[in-house]
Amino acid sequence: MLGVGVTAVMVVMECLAVGLVTLTKAAMNKGMSNYVYVVYSTGFGTTFILLPATFIYYRKRGCRPLTASIICRIFFLALIGSCLQICSFAGIRYSSPVLGAVIADLTPAFAFILAIISR
C-alpha cells in the first residue's frame, strides 16, 4: 500500500513540474524578464514555504551560531542557485515547455554523475 502512495506523490510532483514550466513559458511569452521571474519565485518560496517551515519544524531546537563561514556558504549557494535559475528560464524562453519539462527529469541523472565524479 505504501508503494501506491509513493507513486501517486511522484505523479503529482511531475504534473506540478510540467505545470510550472508551462506557466513559466506563458509568462515569458507575455514579456516577463528572466530576472524578475527569479526574484518572484525566490520571494514566493521564502515567504510561503521556508518561513512557516522554520516555525513548525525547528521550534524545539536552539539556533546554531551564525559564523562567517556559514554566511559565505549561504551566499554562494544562493548565487549559484539564482544563476542556474536564470539560465534555466532563458532556456525555457527560447525552447518549448515540453523540452523544459523533460530536462527537469534529467536532474537526478546529473546529480548522480556529479556524485560519482566528486566521490
Side-chain angles (χ1 to χ4, degrees), residues 16 18-19 22 34 41 51 55 85 92 95 106-108 114-115:
L16 288 174
V18 170
T22 306
N34 297 347
S41 65
L51 189 63
F55 292 121
Q85 275 187 332
I92 290 172
S95 67
L106 293 176
T107 303
L114 287 175

Side-chain angles (χ1 to χ4, degrees), residues 10 12 31 39 66 80 88 92-93 104 109-110 114:
M10 286 175 30
V12 168
V39 170
L66 197 60
I80 291 169
S88 171
I92 290 172
R93 176 184 290 262
F110 291 138
L114 287 175

Side-chain angles (χ1 to χ4, degrees), residues 79-93:
L79 183 68
I80 291 169
S82 297
C83 290
L84 289 176
Q85 275 187 332
I86 289 170
C87 290
S88 171
F89 292 147
I92 290 172
R93 176 184 290 262

Side-chain angles (χ1 to χ4, degrees), residues 39-104:
V39 170
Y40 282 164
S41 65
T42 304
F44 177 78
T46 302
T47 305
F48 294 111
I49 296 172
L50 290 180
L51 189 63
T54 58
F55 292 121
I56 294 170
Y57 295 114
Y58 299 112
R59 183 178 286 180
K60 295 178 182 144
R61 292 193 293 180
C63 295
R64 294 178 63 191
L66 197 60
T67 62
S69 172
I70 292 175
I71 291 173
C72 287
R73 289 179 186 182
I74 291 171
F75 173 76
F76 284 121
L77 281 173
L79 183 68
I80 291 169
S82 297
C83 290
L84 289 176
Q85 275 187 332
I86 289 170
C87 290
S88 171
F89 292 147
I92 290 172
R93 176 184 290 262
Y94 295 121
S95 67
S96 68
V98 175
L99 183 63
V102 170
I103 288 177

Side-chain angles (χ1 to χ4, degrees), residues 22-45:
T22 306
L23 180 70
T24 302
K25 180 66 174 178
M28 299 291 173
N29 285 341
K30 294 279 186 182
M32 181 175 275
S33 171
N34 297 347
Y35 307 110
V36 173
Y37 200 80
V38 168
V39 170
Y40 282 164
S41 65
T42 304
F44 177 78

